[in-house]
Structures are given as C-alpha cells and as structure tokens.
Amino acid sequence: MKLEDEIHQKKFNSEAHKLTINILYTGNWLNSKHAECFKNMDITVQQYNVLRILRGQYPKPSSVKLVKERMLDKMSDASRIIDKLKLKKLVVRTECPDDRRSVDILITDKGLELLKSLDDMDKMPKELFKNLSSTEIKNLNTLLDKLRD
C-alpha cells in the first residue's frame, strides 16, 4: 500500500521528505512484525538481538562494549538488556579475569535453546518481502547502504 494511503497524507514537502517518512514508517512496520514473533516467547526484539550477538561469539564470552557496538538499535541500553536476560537465565555475567572492572557475558544453554526454537524466524523475510524480486531486494540493500555512507 502506498505511504499516502497508510498515513492518510496526500502531500509532502518534497520527495526527500516523503522518503524520510517512508523509511521511518517502514522501519516501525518491520519492528512491529518482529515484535509479534516474540509475544509468546517473553523476550523483546532488542533481547533477541543481544542473544544472537552472543550466540555469534559463542563459546567465547563477550563484553558489554562488543554487544553495544553490534546492536541494531544503538539507542538501547545494552547493560539493562543483559541484566534482564540474566534474570531469565539466558545469559551469565562473570567478572573478567584479566580486568576486574570488566565483565564477560556468555549465552547459556537455555539461551541457545531459545534461539534454536526461533531459528524459523529467518524465513520471515521471504514472506515480508514477497512483493519484491531478488533484484529489487539487492538494489534496495545497495541504496540503503549508500544512504548511510
């Protein structure tokens, strides 16, 4: 559906203004689609992102700094998210043996099992982007990368 119809706005200041609104609207749309998948799993999109980062590092521990650098949502509070994951026994925090001011974060077996149960989510993009050809998807990726340069 066209952006104009989605937000009931017929006129924009410019095509660049419309593009800004369109990207923001689409980003929120994608976030809500992801959030739906986690409703019954007792985790948030941000917690899922942290768990995936930790699984990528596994079996090596990670630092909070590394997690922050790799998070998709740079506005999220990584320390708070890790604390919530620890309460759910999905991660463990241990004092780093080399630097007592630092902590190592490691995904637990329970966290790995949860991610394994969510691996089918990787099929979701096929459904979300079914209206785009593989060439259009590649071009959109290129344009978004270029936009952030």
Side-chain angles (χ1 to χ4, degrees):
M1 184 179 274
K2 292 179 74 172
L3 178 65
E4 292 89 335
D5 298 332
E6 289 282 351
I7 66 170
H8 307 288
Q9 181 173 335
K10 300 296 178 213
K11 191 175 173 188
F12 297 90
N13 295 339
S14 65
E15 281 299 313
H17 177 241
K18 179 180 175 181
L19 177 61
T20 301
I21 303 296
N22 208 342
I23 290 172
L24 290 170
Y25 182 85
T26 304
N28 287 324
W29 175 78
L30 283 169
N31 280 335
S32 70
K33 294 292 184 187
H34 276 95
E36 284 175 28
C37 297
F38 302 120
K39 266 186 198 172
N40 300 324
M41 303 307 262
D42 192 34
I43 64 168
T44 65
V45 173
Q46 293 84 0
Q47 290 170 353
Y48 174 70
N49 183 216
V50 169
L51 288 172
R52 288 191 46 125
I53 292 165
L54 295 173
R55 179 173 66 178
Q57 289 294 112
Y58 187 79
K60 293 187 328 187
S62 301
S63 66
V64 175
K65 181 182 179 207
L66 180 136
V67 171
K68 283 181 184 180
E69 289 170 354
R70 294 187 180 182
M71 286 183 70
L72 297 176
D73 181 357
K74 301 296 184 194
M75 300 302 290
S76 293
D77 183 345
S79 295
R80 187 181 55 79
I81 292 168
I82 291 165
D83 287 343
K84 289 186 177 194
L85 291 170
K86 183 180 178 219
L87 287 173
K88 296 174 185 185
K89 299 184 183 339
L90 300 172
V91 303
V92 291
R93 289 177 75 141
T94 55
E95 192 176 279
C96 180
D98 302 330
D99 181 357
R100 295 183 66 213
R101 295 170 295 168
S102 183
V103 292
D104 287 336
I105 301 127
L106 190 65
I107 191 168
T108 63
D109 288 341
K110 182 178 177 183
L112 290 169
E113 288 172 25
L114 175 64
L115 283 181
K116 188 170 175 71
S117 74
L118 292 169
D119 278 344
D120 280 348
M121 275 195 48
D122 290 339
K123 297 175 186 169
M124 187 172 61
K126 283 185 181 176
E127 179 61 27
L128 288 175
F129 302 124
K130 66 183 177 196
N131 295 331
L132 300 177
S133 70
S134 57
T135 301
E136 289 171 325
I137 290 170
K138 185 176 180 182
N139 289 340
L140 185 53
N141 274 318
T142 300
L143 290 170
L144 291 171
D145 290 343
K146 186 176 181 180
L147 175 67
R148 288 188 313 278
D149 265 346

